[in-house]
Amino acid sequence: MPASASASQVKLSSDHCGVFHLPRLTKESAAKASQVLQENHEIHHCFFSASGFHNHIAHHILTLYALGASPKLIQTHYDKNKTYQRKSQPLDDAIVEDLHDRKKFHDYLGNERYYHDYLEYFRGEIDNKGYEEVINEYCLKGDERADDMLVRLHAGFLHPMIHLGFGVEFKQPAIIAEALAQAAVHDSWIGPFMLDAEKAAASSDKGKPMVELLDEVRAETKLSSAADWDDPNKIRDGILVRAPDEMIRIAAKWKVMPGAIIEKTAEMTNAAVYYTGGAQHPPKQIKFDFYYIHCVNCSIFYDAFLKEATWMSDENKARLLEWKGRLDLCMYASRRSPKPRMDVIDNYKPKHPETAKNSIVETGPWDGIFARVLHHDDDGHAAKLVRALAHGETICAANRMDDPLFRIKGDMWLQLGHMAIDSVEDTGDAWVRSAGFPEAWEK
């Protein structure tokens, strides 16, 4: 890890910048990003509201840094997004001590008021054992506590897992401590689905490709129509109430063998981009689904686990990838599984064609997109999406253009990059929410 980085100290290095970054990141930007991330670590809660809306500062700043943001730009974005954050609850030393008891550790789970206490607890665990051992013990060991924490990492539209991924990718123990504390205060209602799908997979035959499973979800009418527009949470109150058996049956068919992690990471990434980028509704303007983009934004970290987490067994890497794919399938179903419109991607005309496909420019074809998203005023979702798309292109490049399991290929990646930045700069809301419902496009 970078020198001086610890469970309580963020310290980025321009020598270690993650699995996808621009060349020549500066020490000055590393120092500025470290400074604002440290302030966020010490002061802010993981939710900016009591109803559970997430603090995205760590995601945003690390993505800006990887895409080459200047110190001034990093500070500007941080200053805008810190204004609405909540301060963490005061630390309770007695509760931190309680957390060393397994039963009491469990009793405090799922309550956001204990975020600071869990954060301090995991700082201590990481200081004593190293973040590698802590992740293996608390999330991947396979016992009751680890499985419960693994479930919570997948709650909240993958936010705790995204946070953990950033910490592992950039080798920042403090960010990992935040991720584990964040997971601890999330709910666990997704657990029965994830664990039952895993059990069903263990007793089933050979798995199926992700794109074929997406097609199965869409063709299974009971499942693809299980969520209602008025459901408060379309997975919890829709899919898992009205079609749980159908969802488990299909999800269990996504299987990853430890020897196939590289190929399956690319397959999962390609499939997530396929249903996310293709969820369009012409003649309505191009918009990406806010829920689907989390599946894309999280995809980059499975490559980070593959390349950076040498301390994680191949069996656990495969297990994480299985859980990600199964949750992706559930997410796809929960928005009424719209048929991806490949024609919209193929025929898209970028609004700034100077970096469009087939252009001959001195800089890389993504550079104009990166420059624009660095200046986009939001909480980081757009920058994460653009970075994940550009990364997806790199890990899928080795697959043949005629491979039917990889439906996003060639120039489509850059097309999607243009669609992403053009859509968030366009009029109206930055994102569509629940793209398979006609109601989502009525604005």
Side-chain angles (χ1 to χ4, degrees):
M1 72 185 70
S4 302
S6 71
S8 57
Q9 184 70 45
V10 179
K11 183 70 172 179
L12 293 168
S13 167
S14 57
D15 297 325
H16 189 91
C17 313
V19 296
F20 186 91
H21 61 88
L22 270 61
R24 298 181 296 280
L25 300 187
T26 69
K27 293 180 179 178
E28 292 77 13
S29 288
K32 176 54 68 175
S34 299
Q35 176 193 330
V36 299
L37 288 170
Q38 185 65 33
E39 180 177 309
N40 182 62
H41 179 78
E42 294 176 356
I43 296 176
H44 297 140
H45 197 283
C46 66
F47 299 138
F48 69 77
S49 72
S51 53
F53 289 96
H54 295 89
N55 171 353
H56 292 95
I57 283 174
H59 307 181
H60 196 187
I61 297 301
L62 287 167
T63 302
L64 293 172
Y65 170 61
L67 294 180
S70 67
K72 181 179 180 181
L73 199 52
I74 289 170
Q75 186 70 58
T76 297
H77 281 293
Y78 177 69
D79 287 343
K80 288 181 178 178
N81 282 293
K82 74 177 183 180
T83 57
Y84 55 87
Q85 303 300 329
R86 297 161 67 210
K87 290 186 177 180
S88 290
Q89 298 274 5
L91 191 66
D92 189 326
D93 291 334
I95 292 176
V96 176
E97 184 60 32
D98 281 350
L99 295 178
H100 288 85
D101 179 282
R102 275 193 174 236
K103 182 182 182 304
K104 292 178 180 177
F105 179 96
H106 180 270
D107 291 344
Y108 289 111
L109 289 168
N111 191 328
E112 58 93 17
R113 68 179 290 186
Y114 301 121
Y115 169 73
H116 195 180
D117 305 304
Y118 276 108
L119 178 60
E120 181 64 17
Y121 173 77
F122 281 116
R123 284 175 185 147
E125 288 291 276
I126 290 171
D127 280 340
N128 290 332
K129 303 173 182 178
Y131 72 81
E132 301 92 341
E133 183 178 337
V134 170
I135 293 173
N136 278 326
E137 177 184 343
Y138 281 86
C139 305
L140 302 174
K141 190 176 181 180
D143 61 10
E144 184 177 357
R145 181 177 65 180
D147 282 356
D148 183 67
M149 282 289 288
L150 188 60
V151 164
R152 294 172 195 275
L153 277 169
H154 290 80
F157 299 107
L158 287 166
H159 279 94
M161 182 59 80
I162 292 172
H163 210 98
L164 183 72
F166 273 114
V168 171
E169 182 186 9
F170 290 88
K171 295 187 183 296
Q172 294 298 312
I175 302 297
I176 291 169
E178 292 174 4
L180 295 174
Q182 183 181 139
V185 301
H186 272 74
D187 48 40
S188 60
W189 55 259
I190 197 70
F193 162 66
M194 301 301 299
L195 294 167
D196 287 351
E198 186 169 64
K199 291 175 185 175
S203 60
S204 66
D205 295 329
K206 184 179 177 181
K208 295 183 68 173
M210 179 62 75
V211 289
E212 293 182 13
L213 294 174
L214 292 171
D215 293 343
E216 276 195 38
V217 167
R218 192 167 60 253
E220 177 65 67
T221 305
K222 181 179 178 182
L223 176 58
S224 61
S225 62
D228 289 339
W229 178 250
D230 293 330
D231 287 333
N233 184 300
K234 291 173 175 51
I235 294 178
R236 182 192 64 205
D237 306 313
I239 300 300
L240 301 185
V241 170
R242 303 184 189 102
D245 294 340
E246 291 78 7
M247 189 70 254
I248 290 169
R249 176 176 54 80
I250 294 176
K253 298 177 186 179
W254 170 247
K255 304 179 77 170
V256 180
M257 298 297 105
I261 306 168
I262 296 174
E263 297 83 355
K264 286 294 187 179
T265 297
E267 183 184 335
M268 174 276 294
T269 300
N270 199 288
V273 173
Y274 164 65
Y275 71 75
T276 299
Q280 304 300 332
H281 196 81
K284 295 291 187 177
Q285 65 192 127
I286 297 292
K287 293 291 177 183
F288 283 69
D289 184 273
F290 181 73
Y291 303 102
Y292 286 174
I293 64 168
H294 289 79
C295 301
V296 176
N297 292 352
C298 192
S299 66
I300 190 171
F301 303 115
Y302 296 81
D303 191 35
F305 297 148
L306 186 65
K307 294 173 178 174
E308 304 287 351
T310 56
W311 40 269
M312 188 187 294
S313 71
D314 285 350
E315 288 76 15
N316 277 329
K317 291 176 183 179
R319 188 185 188 203
L320 288 178
L321 193 52
E322 286 184 334
W323 281 47
K324 169 62 163 61
R326 291 167 189 156
L327 191 57
D328 282 1
L329 290 165
C330 193
M331 186 76 79
Y332 179 59
S334 72
R335 268 64 207 174
R336 287 282 175 98
S337 45
K339 182 175 177 59
R341 294 292 302 267
M342 305 296 280
D343 59 315
V344 174
I345 301 172
D346 282 331
N347 298 324
Y348 185 69
K349 299 293 188 285
K351 295 185 177 181
H352 293 273
E354 64 272 13
T355 54
K357 61 181 179 180
N358 301 324
S359 293
I360 300 175
V361 292
E362 292 183 4
T363 56
W366 286 85
D367 287 1
I369 297 171
F370 293 150
R372 287 161 64 193
V373 83
L374 286 178
H375 289 86
H376 181 64
D377 184 9
D378 77 345
D379 59 1
H381 282 97
K384 284 188 289 184
L385 177 59
V386 163
R387 179 173 176 252
L389 289 170
H391 169 264
E393 181 182 42
T394 67
I395 68 166
C396 293
N399 297 285
R400 300 191 317 272
M401 290 290 285
D402 62 348
D403 189 335
L405 303 186
F406 289 76
R407 295 181 183 174
I408 302 298
K409 55 193 72 179
D411 290 336
M412 297 176 76
W413 290 101
L414 188 58
Q415 285 284 84
L416 286 159
H418 282 284
M419 288 168 62
I421 188 61
D422 287 350
S423 68
V424 296
E425 291 179 346
D426 204 355
T427 57
D429 294 340
W431 316 101
V432 67
R433 294 173 186 264
S434 301
F437 290 87
E439 296 93 329
W441 298 92
E442 288 178 354
K443 287 188 177 181

